[in-house]
Amino acid sequence: MSKSSIINRNFFRMLRAGAFDDYEVVEPMSAFKWKRLIQIGEVQHVLPYLSRGFSKHADDRQLTYTESLRQEVERISDQQIPSVDASLLTITQEEPQLTNFLSKRKLKKLRKRELNSEDCSEETLQMLNIIIHNVNQTLSKGISLQGIIEMGRFLRTKGDKVDFVKLEQWLHQLGITRLASLQGSILIEVFHFDMNEIPFMQKEEKAASKLTQRSLTHMAADTAENWHFRMRTNGMVENNSRVLRRNLRRSMRYMRYNPVETISSFMANFAKSLSEIEE
């Protein structure tokens, strides 16, 4: 049993307890590993759910508090879980777009047509926005657990208002059915959702758990060393080959789900990195 695997298992137990009231006894770990778990939560922007998870596990005998761990838990205790509406506003503050030009144009027409429709479904458009937000996060940075959790919360609170027949048609038109199914598969594998809670899923993606585990590791590394290009003092441009290789490998892992959008996302991020060179 590797160090990362037990940390990740307890990390997901805490998230399930904090986000979805799914309690499961944790495995015993050292204070160092618990603090590492909290650091992963910071990188993934899920501290409010971790904080609530620690509260839910307050009487768990396997969770032994040292003074340093107690201080860490207290440090994040003021993190409040936002309402579903507030979370939706945060992750879709700027209406999420697809990167590929043709897909972006289709999306624009789709939204305009729906907004002008007599039977316009705001919740279905919101569900689509969450999915596209998660697509962008996945292809540019790796699996966003914050986005996946917000998808799960939305499904459980407003899923009955979503027109899933319409949503499936939109996903097919935009070519992101498999990427959406991947997100649903993470809800099943990691957060113990039932498949009938995710009607837009085409099929369960077997790699969901592995990709999520990998993202926990690599997103932390990317955050620690997130520059791609920079200007050296002699005026030459220096590239961070490790980050570029990591991003390229990540893109290759998602090619099977939508090659066009994956390549478009990689190239857009590459161009953005070049434009942000410090002068």
Side-chain angles (χ1 to χ4, degrees), residues 131-145 148 179 182-183 186 211 215 219 250-251 254 257 262 265 269:
I131 291 172
I132 293 175
H133 167 81
N134 287 341
V135 166
N136 292 336
Q137 290 292 307
T138 297
L139 297 184
S140 62
K141 299 177 182 178
I143 303 295
S144 166
L145 290 178
I148 298 297
L179 284 167
L182 176 62
Q183 295 170 35
I186 295 169
L211 288 170
S215 285
M219 193 175 285
R250 179 178 59 241
S251 294
Y254 294 107
Y257 301 101
T262 301
S265 176
N269 288 326

Side-chain angles (χ1 to χ4, degrees), residues 11-30:
F11 178 69
F12 292 135
R13 289 183 179 109
M14 286 295 187
L15 283 187
R16 287 194 292 269
F20 303 114
D21 292 318
D22 181 3
Y23 180 86
E24 180 185 352
V25 175
V26 298
E27 297 175 67
M29 296 197 307
S30 66

Side-chain angles (χ1 to χ4, degrees), residues 7 11 14-15 32-51 54 69 71-79 137 141 143-147 149 215-216 219-224:
I7 292 174
F11 178 69
M14 286 295 187
L15 283 187
F32 172 82
K33 292 179 183 178
W34 281 113
K35 291 198 293 189
R36 175 60 184 149
L37 181 150
I38 293 173
Q39 290 172 353
I40 294 172
E42 288 183 290
V43 172
Q44 283 280 342
H45 305 292
V46 292
L47 285 183
Y49 302 107
L50 274 189
S51 177
F54 274 102
L69 177 57
Q71 290 174 1
E72 279 293 291
V73 174
E74 288 178 358
R75 179 177 68 84
I76 67 171
S77 63
D78 61 343
Q79 300 281 332
Q137 290 292 307
K141 299 177 182 178
I143 303 295
S144 166
L145 290 178
Q146 179 192 28
I149 287 173
S215 285
L216 290 187
M219 193 175 285
D222 286 344
T223 303

Side-chain angles (χ1 to χ4, degrees), residues 188-201:
I188 292 172
E189 289 291 324
V190 176
F191 294 106
H192 298 174
F193 272 56
D194 292 325
M195 194 163 185
N196 59 17
E197 295 183 89
I198 316 166
F200 63 82
M201 272 187 64

